[in-house]
Amino acid sequence: MRERAVPGSGVPVTTGSTPWRETGDTTLAAFREAIGRSIGAGSSPMATEADVVYGTAAAARLSRLAAAMAWHETKNFSWNCDTAPAGFPCIPAACRNPWAVTGAAEGGQIGRWAVYRSFATAARAWVQRLTDTAGPYAGTRTIADLIRVYAPATDGNDEAEYVATVCREIDRLPLIGGNGVATNPFRAPAIYELYRDYAGFGLTQAQAIRIGQNKFVGRQGYKPSAIVLHVQEGTTMGSLAYWSTVQASSTVMVQKDGSVLRVIPEADGPWTNGDVQKPSAKGQQLISRLGGANLNLGTLSVEMEGYSGDVLADGVIETLCWVCWDWMTRYPIGLSDIYRHADINSVTRGQCPGAYYDVVMGRLQAAQQGGQPAPSWPGKPAWLPDSLIVDLFPEAAPGGPRTNAWLAYCGRTGRAPRRVTFHYKGTPQELIEFSDGLLIDKAAKVVGAA
């Protein structure tokens, strides 16, 4: 379907030669964000009908193309004659015609523009026109073909610019497959289940059952629509031991080794986010959205092992992004629906979840726009692929002293050791000892060998 991939993401790139009928669908959450985006202040007027418009476009497997073309034509209808900047083409607001369809419609026409009763009916007309087997687009195949008919240069259009914009906007939206799940550009972690793997986290079966009861069964009819990120200010084993004695839990916990522990089923509300104290403006929006109900009923929670001041390894950030992306593809959750615990409780949780929130949000945004920022690995031998570092050493952190020692070993020996071939030695852990006896200190200096 496409000719090349976005560097570092594994996500293909859309080009003018991409068959337009194969541009595919995105998630409802991503579509909502795309349609809600406006060139000016405020939200697009299409946003109130985004779900219905999505359903119409997705039924034809064209939701990514629909969002991209609505953006190029009318900036999601924020460029109508009431709001468009001076000198820009516009369509009267009464037309409700985001795809700039010409000719008569159910509501007649104003000038050359079709008029629709709603954005939903405009979407149905757009899909019908494009997919009509006897219509003007029946003989087109690629995006460039489509635009050549839809907005030809003979009408004063810049076809190349149109194609480039549509391709870029399509690639901003995650592609979902036939199973309705978007391709996750982040590496899948090891996943554990509390009900099955409790012993590995220092719990008895009775303790695991007790924690598993800390939930709102069935969410009282609410659905997950937001993610709240936390930091444990401790270890997972310590948090679980404490939770077995109090009324607390989380949907998942992410460990320092990058693994995920599923604690409470997603169908149930965890007991994590009920401590509302002086919420931020963003937190107030979540409270309003849920109508004052307990926030746990509409949220999914992540508890990150460690402390708010920790610098997290790139492999752990990868896992946090994987978890968020997975939920964003299966629930109506967009980037703006990911919250800090501090957004809910700024009094006693003002530092939660720490600096990792901004890193995760930046990585997710970059992935949505077609790629991920690659970490810089000072001291990395030229022969060592970046991807191999976190595959073999998941707790690696760019510039971290233990990572420096690991990279120094690679440079000294010409090979990359696996995680199990070395351990930390000394108190505090000032040395790394590898299986062949090589000792390297935190300054990446070889200090001994067997």
Side-chain angles (χ1 to χ4, degrees):
M1 185 171 76
R2 298 170 173 85
E3 291 121 13
R4 62 186 190 279
V6 175
S9 72
V11 180
V13 168
T14 305
T15 71
S17 59
T18 297
W20 65 264
R21 295 176 180 83
E22 298 177 20
T23 49
D25 285 323
T26 190
T27 64
L28 173 58
F31 188 84
R32 281 176 174 171
E33 283 201 342
I35 293 301
R37 185 162 55 102
S38 171
I39 195 67
S43 178
S44 161
M46 294 179 65
T48 58
E49 297 184 56
D51 289 18
V52 179
V53 171
Y54 172 81
T56 298
R61 299 283 296 157
L62 294 174
S63 62
R64 294 171 89 215
L65 181 65
M69 290 184 66
W71 175 255
H72 182 81
E73 285 287 351
T74 62
K75 298 296 181 288
N76 297 331
F77 212 60
S78 62
W79 274 7
N80 58 66
C81 293
D82 299 329
T83 59
F88 282 87
C90 63
I91 299 174
C95 290
R96 289 176 289 276
N97 183 353
W99 290 280
V101 174
T102 58
E106 60 192 2
Q109 63 187 87
I110 299 176
R112 60 189 299 233
W113 308 113
V115 178
Y116 299 98
R117 288 193 299 265
S118 66
F119 292 110
T121 53
R124 288 195 292 272
W126 178 81
V127 168
Q128 182 178 4
R129 179 171 293 210
L130 259 64
T131 58
D132 184 352
T133 56
Y137 306 101
T140 64
R141 177 179 175 274
T142 67
I143 291 177
D145 293 339
L146 173 70
I147 302 310
R148 195 169 296 118
V149 176
Y150 198 97
T154 53
D155 282 356
N157 296 292
D158 186 333
E159 292 181 21
E161 180 187 5
Y162 197 130
V163 170
T165 301
V166 166
C167 291
R168 183 186 68 244
E169 293 300 317
I170 287 174
D171 284 335
R172 292 185 65 159
L173 298 169
L175 174 66
I176 60 176
N179 60 355
V181 178
T183 302
N184 196 323
F186 301 98
R187 187 177 62 256
I191 297 177
Y192 300 97
E193 304 282 353
L194 180 65
Y195 75 90
R196 181 188 64 207
D197 302 310
Y198 55 85
F201 292 88
L203 297 176
T204 65
Q205 186 178 42
Q207 286 176 308
I209 291 173
R210 171 70 179 80
I211 295 170
Q213 294 171 340
N214 295 345
K215 63 186 180 183
F216 290 98
V217 177
R219 295 182 177 271
Q220 299 179 13
Y222 287 82
K223 301 296 183 184
S225 60
I227 298 169
V228 182
L229 301 181
H230 300 247
V231 67
Q232 296 177 34
E233 297 293 353
T235 66
T236 294
M237 290 181 67
S239 297
L240 289 170
Y242 178 63
W243 289 356
S244 69
T245 65
V246 298
Q247 294 182 327
S249 63
S250 181
T251 311
V252 301
M253 305 172 86
V254 173
Q255 279 56 254
K256 281 296 191 73
D257 65 1
S259 65
V260 173
L261 174 65
R262 289 174 172 161
V263 180
I264 298 298
E266 294 170 17
D268 302 322
W271 287 352
T272 323
N273 304 312
D275 57 338
V276 178
Q277 297 188 62
K278 291 187 177 180
S280 68
K282 182 175 180 178
Q284 287 284 10
Q285 293 174 359
L286 178 61
I287 293 168
S288 298
R289 184 202 305 175
L290 294 176
N294 188 299
L295 298 186
N296 290 301
L297 297 176
T299 57
L300 299 157
S301 290
V302 179
E303 283 278 3
M304 176 62 216
E305 184 176 36
Y307 298 86
S308 56
D310 288 352
V311 176
L312 297 184
D314 191 70
V316 180
I317 293 294
E318 185 90 358
T319 293
L320 288 163
C321 291
W322 183 91
V323 170
C324 291
W325 190 279
D326 178 56
W327 285 340
M328 289 166 67
T329 62
R330 293 189 288 110
Y331 298 101
I333 296 173
L335 278 179
S336 60
D337 300 317
I338 302 178
Y339 295 79
R340 300 174 174 89
H341 191 191
D343 287 321
I344 295 167
N345 179 351
S346 66
V347 178
T348 62
R349 297 293 185 267
Q351 301 303 313
C352 187
Y356 85 77
Y357 175 89
D358 292 330
V359 179
V360 167
M361 293 297 285
R363 190 74 65 86
L364 288 169
Q365 184 177 35
Q368 277 197 342
Q369 294 176 354
Q372 298 180 50
S376 175
W377 302 99
K380 180 181 74 70
W383 57 264
L384 180 64
D386 290 0
S387 59
L388 195 60
I389 298 175
V390 290
D391 285 341
L392 301 182
F393 184 18
E395 60 266 62
R402 296 171 190 170
T403 304
N404 290 343
W406 192 86
L407 293 174
Y409 179 93
C410 296
R412 169 72 176 261
T413 65
R415 61 179 181 272
R418 293 188 177 275
R419 174 66 183 83
V420 296
T421 62
F422 69 92
H423 65 274
Y424 306 126
K425 185 175 182 178
T427 304
Q429 298 168 341
E430 71 271 17
L431 298 174
I432 292 181
E433 182 177 36
F434 292 83
S435 57
D436 58 4
L438 192 65
L439 284 174
I440 298 177
D441 67 13
K442 286 188 175 183
K445 178 181 178 182
V446 176
V447 296

